[in-house]
């Protein structure tokens, strides 16, 4: 899973996400890669219709050279700030993941696809609750500047 929590003063808060289910096929990536992160950022830029100021953690895939090059190539609409090394308490997306995990905590799944559906359903429910997304920002103690 990869996700973005999106905030803009005076606008409804949003969350965008990408979920990959590994099916064990030959040559299939096992998780979210930098290409997926890039595609999520491009999709966010298209959906949000403006420049993006991205604040993210130090996940290794965020720091690899192809991702850095993508950021440099798109500096006209993408500005990136890194959070300190280990600071999940400053990352509003961690609150989103916590909400989703809480909903699927007691799920007894027959297979991985059932878990994937439950995760997507949880994320979709959060998307329709901007108050929850706002609460995840408030939980960090950070505030938006005007």
């Amino acid at each position: 899973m990869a996700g973005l929590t999106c905030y803009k003063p005076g606008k409804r808060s949003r969350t965008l996400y990408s979920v990959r289910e590994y099916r064990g096929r030959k040559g299939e990536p096992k998780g979210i890669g930098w290409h997926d992160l890039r595609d999520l950022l491009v999709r966010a830029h298209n959906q949000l219709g403006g420049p993006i100021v991205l604040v993210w953690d130090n996940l290794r895939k965020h720091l690899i050279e192809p991702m850095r090059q993508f950021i440099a190539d798109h500096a006209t609409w993408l500005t990136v700030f890194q959070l300190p090394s280990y600071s999940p308490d400053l990352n509003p997306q961690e609150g989103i993941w916590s909400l989703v995990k809480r909903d699927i905590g007691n799920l007894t799944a027959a297979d991985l696809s059932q878990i994937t559906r439950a995760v997507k359903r949880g994320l979709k429910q959060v998307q329709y609750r901007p108050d929850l997304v706002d609460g995840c920002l408030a939980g960090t103690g950070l505030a938006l500047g005007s």
Side-chain angles (χ1 to χ4, degrees):
M1 297 184 295
L4 300 170
T5 48
C6 308
Y7 303 97
K8 185 174 183 178
K11 300 286 185 179
R12 179 178 66 89
S13 299
R14 303 173 69 168
T15 185
L16 304 171
Y17 62 88
S18 178
V19 177
R20 176 183 297 279
E21 182 179 330
Y22 178 64
R23 295 183 177 93
R25 296 182 183 129
K26 186 176 180 177
E28 178 185 23
K30 291 184 179 180
I32 298 285
W34 82 268
H35 290 96
D36 301 303
L37 296 174
R38 176 202 60 201
D39 295 347
L40 181 59
L41 290 172
V42 169
R43 195 174 75 214
H45 174 62
N46 291 336
Q47 286 183 14
L48 299 172
I52 294 175
V53 176
L54 181 65
V55 180
W56 65 11
D57 57 20
N58 289 304
L59 180 69
R60 191 171 87 45
K61 289 181 179 96
H62 295 168
L63 305 173
I64 64 173
E65 185 54 35
M67 194 73 224
R68 289 178 190 257
Q69 188 60 49
F70 171 78
I71 293 165
D73 292 345
H74 296 88
T76 57
W77 60 265
L78 181 60
T79 304
V80 177
F81 295 97
Q82 296 289 141
L83 287 170
S85 287
Y86 184 75
S87 53
D89 51 324
L90 296 176
N91 188 347
Q93 188 62 39
E94 294 296 332
I96 302 293
W97 299 140
S98 178
L99 291 169
V100 173
K101 288 176 189 176
R102 186 174 32 196
D103 280 350
I104 65 169
N106 291 324
L107 175 67
T108 304
D111 57 17
L112 183 59
S113 64
Q114 192 173 4
I115 296 171
T116 302
R117 283 191 306 273
V119 167
K120 286 181 177 180
R121 184 174 45 251
L123 287 166
K124 182 65 83 177
Q125 289 172 344
V126 170
Q127 279 185 319
Y128 290 107
R129 298 279 312 275
D131 56 313
L132 291 178
V133 181
D134 289 341
C136 291
L137 178 63
T140 67
L142 303 174
L144 291 177
S146 298

